[in-house]
Amino acid sequence: MAIQYNINNNIFTLNTKNSTYQMQVDSYGFLLHLYYGRKMSGEADFLLTFADRACSGNPYDAGNDRTYSLDALPQEFPCRGSGDFRSPAILVRNEDNSCDCDLRYRSHVIYSGKYGLRGLPAVYAKEREAQTLELTLEDAVSGLQVVLLYGVLEEYDVITRAVRVINNGEKPVHLTRIQSVCLDFLTGSYDCISFYGRHAMERQYQRIPVSHGAFQIGSRRGTSSHQYNPMMLLAPRETTEDSGICYSASFVYSGGFRAEVEMDQFNQTRMLMGLAEEQFSYPLGPGEDFYAPEVILSYSREGLNKLSQNLHACFRKHLCRGKYRDVPRPVLLNSWEAFYFDFNGEKLCDLARAAADAGIEMLVMDDGWFGKRDDDNSGLGDWFFNEKKMGMSLEELADQIHGMGLKLGIWFEPECINEDSDLYRAHPEWALAFPGRKPVRGRNQLVLDFSRKDVVDYLYEEICSILDGGGIEYLKWDFNRSIADVYSGGCGDQGGISYDYILGLYDLLERLIVRYPDLLIEGCCGGGGRFDAGMLYYTPQIWCSDNTDAIDRVKIQYGTSFGYPISAVGSHVSVAPNEQNGRVTPLQTRSYVAMSGTFGYELDIRGLSGEEKEAIRAQIADYHRYAPLILDGLYYRLTNPFRDEVGGWEFVSEDRERALCFAVMLEVHGNMTVNYLRVKGLLSGRQYRCEADGKVYDADILMEVGLPFPAKMGEYRAYRYYLSLCK
């Protein structure tokens, strides 16, 4: 059994293959955290210590015992008002405006299978693949109940956390803070690893020491954001890619979030992750409940790379869904960087013919096909095919594309609206805006109020009318601005608009994937502004960044790899000089970087030379050959591109018999020094043949020292090594 309960001392133990998580209900009914780390068979309640902490408060129940203080004890779900002055997991404002909450253990239940969350994405599993613990805490005065949900996926070293809050009292309350997870560590000196960025430079790796005080990341933008990814890692200072203990927390949510880690006065470390507090004050009337989104936890004592592999496997098999969860995606050509808004049906068909000739499998018609849409200043919201601009109907275009043997994809941005649109003129009240004030524009567009069911229902019908009539097999779901005007004319209490907006988004996506089970949806938010575990539940791949430059992408995809599987990374070959930064890189380098993802093209293939077109045919053939290994193999980071002059990564089959290594030179110098690519994950004591040169190499030497790089002239050269076990 993955979950055990010792009735004699009220200790709950959650075991995965390599980790143990343990907590205890103490004599006062408080739920204390005991241990999270390597798998063990004992009980860790002896780790708790009690002393008079001077200015730390004591629960009234403790009487004259000044040694008992929640200000120093590790907890599972701390609340304000208990005497713990560290960051709480929950804040409640009662009807009398008091903000007190005293949560004590009431009951629990353990069952096979994995819990689900109403209206929210969550890890899923069959009954035999997981176990669930539901722990109910209650505030006896207000009647508020908090159900802590724990899901254990033993084989993946994953434990999930979520929270359900129920108002069982007779008076309304407001949730003003809700964090889905709290991890308290009694000892240890940790580094916090997080991933910051901006548009076109997302998920940049950052590792800093945890010190006294709090370090916080989050998003107030209505999306998980380009600026901070909703993922945080903790690791002792000595932990590396290949050794040492480490922990990860990934938020399964696509809106505003908050994650923080603090070292307290007693050198204890607390990590929390949950919903953003700004503009959050969720009303709960008597009998109503609220679900806080899930956090996925994992632990490794074999370094950061193993931690990433835990998450990759869990996300691929127990978060992503649908037809394309387990199969290579079609190689596509997106029209955006080929034409931007300047295209019609004839130009698209010309592009499609060139794509088909090169072996590309899908043409994606990006922004500009609908409404009055010749630039980004008008037309959003008018989801009808512009036959006048296109010179044909959508059905005629689809017939021509399909006749060339290609699939057809299409771009949508359903969450936004231009003021210059028929929809806005008919329903200005559907846009989020503060009453009596001019709205904030982003990309000259406003945001539709997805907290309103009538808005979501309308968009569902409009999108379906296009998908039904056009034979569409792929949908790129974009969102190109942040949400500033968080006010809904359709709601009285405004404290839950941001959360209800995301529920509306998830509802629309869920209805689409149920109606169109064979439709491949790619998430996008100005590129990588909503690259999170929540979106992966609905879209098995996400456009990693609007920056398609191969050298920048090495760093962007490096940071992404810490928490997300390669099968989710939307990555394309684009033109050189690159249209985001002007850099010139070899076509081979661009293809190797893009191949380490879902793979596609983002350029006008018609203008390429015969040699370049032949190279693309070879790249696509290579991708089909390597795709199963790339999408399902064990992923290894071989270098740190923020520190090293080479970017290197590797895919290894689960049987360890095949390995595919990529390396990109990020810097070149005069009289260049030799670089060695140290391979990982091979079978010790065996030999491997390298396809590039036909030579046989000893696995242990490859893993200890590595392959020497050829000293070729030129910037940004890239190399690929395919190794196969000698039988």
Side-chain angles (χ1 to χ4, degrees):
M1 296 286 286
I3 301 175
Q4 300 167 5
Y5 172 58
N6 186 338
I7 194 172
N8 296 316
N9 55 12
N10 291 322
I11 287 180
F12 296 89
T13 302
L14 284 56
N15 284 317
T16 71
K17 185 167 55 177
N18 295 295
S19 70
T20 295
Y21 188 110
Q22 200 169 85
M23 54 198 147
Q24 180 181 42
V25 179
D26 72 6
S27 59
Y28 299 113
F30 292 111
L31 184 60
L32 303 181
H33 178 80
L34 298 180
Y35 175 85
Y36 186 25
R38 67 182 295 177
K39 192 168 185 177
M40 55 87 170
S41 57
E43 294 180 331
D45 51 333
F46 69 89
L47 296 175
L48 301 177
T49 61
F50 301 89
D52 187 342
R53 305 290 187 176
C55 296
S56 294
N58 316 112
Y60 197 84
D61 314 43
N64 293 325
D65 182 5
R66 297 185 182 182
T67 68
Y68 188 99
S69 176
L70 292 173
D71 198 28
L73 288 169
Q75 297 169 69
E76 281 297 302
F77 200 72
C79 53
R80 181 62 52 82
S82 66
D84 183 354
F85 296 95
R86 295 166 291 180
S87 292
I90 186 171
L91 285 173
V92 179
R93 188 176 75 247
N94 299 301
E95 189 184 38
D96 60 4
N97 285 322
S98 65
C99 297
D100 186 34
C101 186
D102 184 3
L103 296 172
R104 310 288 182 105
Y105 169 82
R106 177 177 176 178
S107 63
H108 74 272
V109 60
I110 299 170
Y111 55 88
S112 297
K114 168 69 170 55
Y115 65 82
L117 301 175
R118 186 185 66 235
L120 287 166
V123 165
Y124 61 88
K126 296 178 182 178
E127 190 170 303
R128 67 178 184 276
E129 295 175 319
Q131 273 195 300
T132 292
L133 167 65
E134 295 187 5
L135 264 167
T136 299
L137 311 178
E138 185 176 55
D139 180 11
V141 174
S142 69
L144 191 77
Q145 285 191 346
V146 172
V147 182
L148 304 182
L149 301 165
Y150 300 79
V152 181
L153 278 73
E154 196 169 358
E155 287 302 306
Y156 295 87
D157 284 325
V158 159
I159 296 171
T160 66
R161 292 278 308 268
V163 182
R164 181 187 178 204
V165 181
I166 310 165
N167 183 3
N168 279 334
E170 298 177 355
K171 297 178 181 179
V173 299
H174 278 77
L175 281 178
T176 58
R177 175 184 171 103
I178 185 74
Q179 303 289 278
S180 298
V181 68
C182 173
L183 285 179
D184 276 350
F185 297 92
L186 289 168
T187 64
S189 296
Y190 295 97
D191 288 343
C192 178
I193 300 173
S194 60
F195 304 88
Y196 71 96
R198 59 189 183 275
H199 174 252
M201 282 301 289
E202 298 87 347
R203 289 172 299 287
Q204 303 293 290
Y205 173 88
Q206 175 176 266
R207 182 170 180 167
I208 61 173
V210 176
S211 56
H212 289 283
F215 170 74
Q216 177 187 323
I217 62 171
S219 170
R220 306 177 184 93
R221 298 170 180 267
T223 64
S224 49
S225 84
H226 302 86
Q227 284 69 28
Y228 297 100
N229 194 261
M231 169 177 59
M232 184 178 277
L233 283 64
L234 280 185
R237 310 280 156 81
E238 64 273 13
T239 295
T240 68
E241 283 282 4
D242 305 312
S243 66
I245 68 170
C246 44
Y247 304 84
S248 66
S250 302
F251 200 32
V252 190
Y253 189 68
S254 306
F257 77 96
R258 174 191 178 111
E260 71 175 90
V261 58
E262 72 172 315
M263 181 186 292
D264 71 8
Q265 57 187 327
F266 303 115
N267 298 325
Q268 300 175 147
T269 299
R270 171 171 289 180
M271 182 171 72
L272 296 132
M273 179 174 283
L275 293 171
E277 286 186 71
E278 287 81 357
Q279 296 180 292
F280 179 79
S281 179
Y282 205 90
L284 282 180
E288 294 181 341
D289 65 351
F290 176 91
Y291 283 89
E294 183 169 83
V295 170
I296 300 172
L297 301 174
S298 190
Y299 163 84
S300 164
R301 58 189 298 263
E302 300 175 46
L304 296 166
N305 221 131
K306 177 60 173 149
L307 189 69
S308 296
Q309 290 173 0
N310 293 346
L311 296 173
H312 293 179
C314 178
F315 284 24
R316 282 201 313 263
K317 299 299 184 183
H318 294 276
L319 188 65
C320 294
R321 299 180 293 165
K323 172 183 175 180
Y324 286 98
R325 188 192 74 167
D326 301 316
V327 299
R329 320 288 157 70
V331 178
L332 64 84
L333 172 62
N334 187 288
S335 70
W336 180 243
E337 289 191 30
F339 300 137
Y340 296 101
F341 293 102
D342 184 20
F343 66 87
N344 55 29
E346 182 180 351
K347 291 177 74 171
L348 284 174
C349 288
D350 286 345
L351 187 67
R353 275 186 283 271
D357 182 61
I360 290 170
E361 299 161 301
M362 176 186 288
L363 180 76
V364 176
M365 177 173 57
D366 210 280
D367 194 357
W369 57 267
F370 56 91
K372 179 190 172 186
R373 188 70 169 174
D374 295 318
D375 54 37
D376 58 9
N377 295 311
S378 64
L380 272 180
D382 296 339
W383 298 111
F384 60 87
F385 193 74
N386 189 336
E387 295 187 8
K388 181 178 179 181
K389 173 181 178 177
M390 301 300 289
M392 61 182 69
S393 68
L394 178 57
E395 291 78 6
E396 289 170 332
L397 175 65
D399 286 343
Q400 291 196 48
I401 301 297
H402 292 149
M404 301 174 200
L406 295 178
K407 299 178 184 294
L408 177 61
I410 198 168
W411 178 94
F412 272 93
E413 191 173 2
E415 298 167 72
C416 287
I417 187 171
N418 288 124
E419 292 161 282
D420 184 6
S421 68
D422 293 343
L423 182 62
Y424 185 80
R425 284 183 281 272
H427 290 287
E429 75 280 5
W430 281 6
L432 292 170
F434 293 117
R437 299 179 184 273
K438 297 296 184 184
V440 173
R441 292 169 173 158
R443 203 176 180 236
N444 202 17
Q445 59 198 49
L446 308 182
V447 180
L448 286 168
D449 184 358
F450 267 49
S451 72
R452 295 178 57 144
K453 187 176 185 302
D454 53 349
V455 172
V456 173
D457 288 346
Y458 172 83
L459 288 167
Y460 174 72
E461 295 298 332
E462 291 295 292
I463 295 170
C464 290
S465 68
I466 294 292
L467 297 179
D468 287 342
I472 307 300
E473 292 134 308
Y474 163 103
L475 190 158
K476 181 179 178 182
W477 186 290
D478 211 344
F479 183 48
N480 282 302
R481 61 156 294 175
S482 300
I483 303 175
D485 308 279
V486 186
Y487 186 92
S488 170
C491 180
D493 194 312
Q494 300 295 314
I497 300 303
S498 296
Y499 175 86
D500 288 342
Y501 179 100
I502 298 298
L503 292 189
L505 168 66
Y506 289 155
D507 175 59
L508 181 51
L509 287 166
E510 182 68 24
R511 290 157 71 180
L512 289 173
I513 65 174
V514 168
R515 180 163 174 166
Y516 305 102
D518 293 335
L519 180 70
L520 172 59
I521 305 179
E522 177 171 274
C524 181
C525 180
R530 201 152 60 185
F531 204 116
D532 56 67
M535 285 302 291
L536 284 182
Y537 187 74
Y538 305 96
T539 68
Q541 63 189 55
I542 302 173
W543 184 226
C544 189
S545 176
D546 276 349
N547 186 345
T548 55
D549 170 61
I551 304 306
D552 281 345
R553 271 297 189 106
V554 168
K555 290 185 176 180
I556 294 169
Q557 292 176 199
Y558 171 84
T560 304
S561 75
F562 277 84
Y564 303 98
I566 305 308
S567 60
V569 176
S571 191
H572 295 169
V573 176
S574 63
V575 72
N578 180 266
E579 296 192 1
Q580 285 79 48
N581 62 17
R583 196 190 329 256
V584 176
T585 53
L587 179 58
Q588 183 183 72
T589 300
R590 285 174 273 153
S591 74
Y592 285 175
V593 174
M595 196 174 292
S596 300
T598 60
F599 196 51
Y601 293 84
E602 190 109 3
L603 45 74
D604 189 349
I605 196 172
R606 301 173 305 169
L608 300 182
S609 68
E611 183 180 355
E612 289 173 320
K613 291 178 181 177
E614 188 59 39
I616 286 176
R617 293 187 190 97
Q619 291 166 9
I620 294 171
D622 284 346
Y623 177 73
H624 283 303
R625 179 186 174 196
Y626 299 129
L629 180 56
I630 291 172
L631 300 181
D632 290 325
L634 297 169
Y635 181 81
Y636 291 90
R637 292 177 292 271
L638 303 184
T639 68
N640 180 348
F642 289 85
R643 179 192 64 213
D644 303 324
E645 60 186 17
V646 56
W649 59 94
E650 177 189 18
F651 305 92
V652 179
S653 62
E654 289 198 15
D655 60 11
R656 311 284 179 170
E657 293 187 0
R658 296 172 296 128
L660 181 65
C661 308
F662 292 95
V664 176
M665 292 303 304
L666 304 176
E667 299 178 16
V668 291
H669 314 284
N671 197 12
M672 193 70 184
T673 54
V674 177
N675 283 278
Y676 290 83
L677 191 68
R678 191 168 66 87
V679 182
K680 300 179 183 180
L682 304 183
L683 293 172
S684 179
R686 305 297 295 275
Q687 292 183 317
Y688 288 77
R689 186 178 301 277
C690 180
E691 185 180 65
D693 57 17
K695 294 180 180 178
V696 173
Y697 295 90
D698 182 88
D700 292 309
I701 297 175
L702 290 177
M703 292 189 289
E704 186 68 23
V705 181
L707 278 164
F709 273 59
K712 292 184 179 179
M713 294 287 288
E715 284 188 305
Y716 310 125
R717 296 280 186 177
Y719 305 91
R720 182 180 68 204
Y721 304 96
Y722 180 72
L723 304 170
S724 56
L725 182 70
C726 295
K727 300 290 187 176

